[in-house]
Amino acid sequence: GENVEQHPSTLSVQEGDSAVIKCTYSDSASNYFPWYKQELGKGPQLIIDIRSNVGEKKDQRIAVTLNKTAKHFSLHITETQPEDSAVYFCAARAKFSGGYNKLIFGAGTRLAVHP
Amino acid sequence: GAVVSQHPSRVICKSGTSVKIECRSLDFQATTMFWYRQFPKKSLMLMATSNEGSKATYEQGVEKDKFLINHASLTLSTLTVTSAHPEDSSFYICSARPGTEAYEQYFGPGTRLTVT
């Protein structure tokens, strides 16, 4: 089955710097890769996603890149701000028997942006 | 758009009682809803997938008689934790997908359950 690994587990940056979080997946059939931001005590918020037919997607200060050959995808946050501090989860959508699909999540990255 | 709500946000119940958590998609119809459990500083663990009008599909190791899921309409799914015990204390989060062909999945704000 699909397995998603996420690195690093914690990331500390200075305000204004860039942050990069990387994930690898194992199932080459996975075709959708969302990123979620979770603040303390809240549910995950979808911040950006990418499908397997696209190599890069950008939305203001955040971008996601996908390398299907290497089976890895990354989240890039530029000009980080203290409000970017949160836990970030990557996920891959995999298909299972019976025709249903589900998201497999990485372990999460705790990002701290220091003023 | 794509708002998912949960109620209650926090609940405390006594051991042996049952508690129901509601999950609603507010501005879209969700043919598929998911229930997750999250332990402190851990990732999301899928408990079950439910499709409107049919039985939920439970993940391995999740007791279906303990965690009853009902997806009676396209905007409402409920999770009932029956005969709750302290080890059931956790953060429960629902998620909804707008349509069978949709890729996106949106999460609710979560429910903090404490069993005393």
Side-chain angles (χ1 to χ4, degrees), chain A residues 45-106:
Chain A
Q45 176 193 3
L46 178 65
I47 57 172
I48 197 167
D49 55 11
I50 193 167
R51 300 189 186 186
S52 58
N53 58 347
V54 177
E56 185 175 355
K57 184 176 178 181
K58 191 174 180 181
D59 182 5
Q60 299 183 336
R61 294 187 299 109
I62 59 173
V64 56
T65 58
L66 170 65
N67 183 326
K68 282 194 299 182
T69 304
K71 288 189 277 190
H72 65 70
F73 56 113
S74 301
L75 176 71
H76 304 254
I77 306 174
T78 59
E79 300 171 32
T80 53
Q81 301 166 3
E83 49 265 39
D84 293 330
S85 298
V87 178
Y88 291 80
F89 291 100
C90 65
R93 185 173 105 147
K95 246 195 180 133
F96 289 81
S97 61
Y100 81 102
N101 54 68
K102 61 182 179 181
L103 293 179
I104 306 299
F105 284 87

Side-chain angles (χ1 to χ4, degrees), chain A residues 2 30 92-96 100-105, chain B residues 34 36 46 49 59-60 97 105:
Chain A
E2 176 65 284
S30 291
R93 185 173 105 147
K95 246 195 180 133
F96 289 81
Y100 81 102
N101 54 68
K102 61 182 179 181
L103 293 179
I104 306 299
F105 284 87
Chain B
F34 307 85
Y36 292 82
L46 180 64
T49 302
E59 295 298 301
Q60 194 170 10
R97 184 183 293 160
Q105 197 171 309

Side-chain angles (χ1 to χ4, degrees), chain A residues 4-6 23 89-92 104-108, chain B residues 43-44:
Chain A
V4 177
E5 294 193 357
Q6 183 171 347
C23 288
F89 291 100
C90 65
I104 306 299
F105 284 87
Chain B
S43 189
L44 297 107

